[in-house]
Amino acid sequence: MSEFDALCHIDVHEMPPQQIKALREGVRLSQAVFAAVLNTSVSTVQKWEVGDKKPSGPSLKLLDLLKRKGLDALL
């Protein structure tokens, strides 16, 4: 259980729009597929990539996991 608790409290930092777009392009996904993988809308991904909105909570953790472990970790 302590391992689970440790994983739940991973410190994630804000991700700038350019990094989100680079991350998506790095795994070679369209905005629509990227949104589906992250269980969010295409418009949300678009807003993240232009800086109109910032990912937070579970979305930010999933982006961080994708950055650290790659696409296979989410599929």
Side-chain angles (χ1 to χ4, degrees):
M1 192 65 166
S2 63
E3 183 179 335
F4 176 77
D5 288 339
L7 291 173
C8 289
H9 298 290
I10 294 173
D11 189 26
V12 293
H13 302 284
E14 286 187 11
M15 196 173 285
Q18 315 87 299
Q19 189 176 13
I20 296 170
K21 185 173 183 177
L23 183 60
R24 177 182 61 79
E25 290 174 343
V27 293
R28 303 179 68 181
L29 295 178
S30 66
Q31 287 180 335
V33 175
F34 194 67
V37 168
L38 297 174
N39 196 32
T40 193
S41 68
V42 176
S43 66
T44 297
V45 171
Q46 291 169 342
K47 289 175 184 176
W48 289 345
E49 289 186 0
V50 296
D52 288 345
K53 189 174 184 179
K54 294 179 181 180
S56 63
S59 296
L60 190 56
K61 283 192 175 191
L62 287 173
L63 287 167
D64 183 67
L65 180 64
L66 180 62
K67 183 176 110 180
R68 290 183 299 108
K69 301 287 185 174
L71 186 58
D72 289 340
L74 299 182
L75 301 179

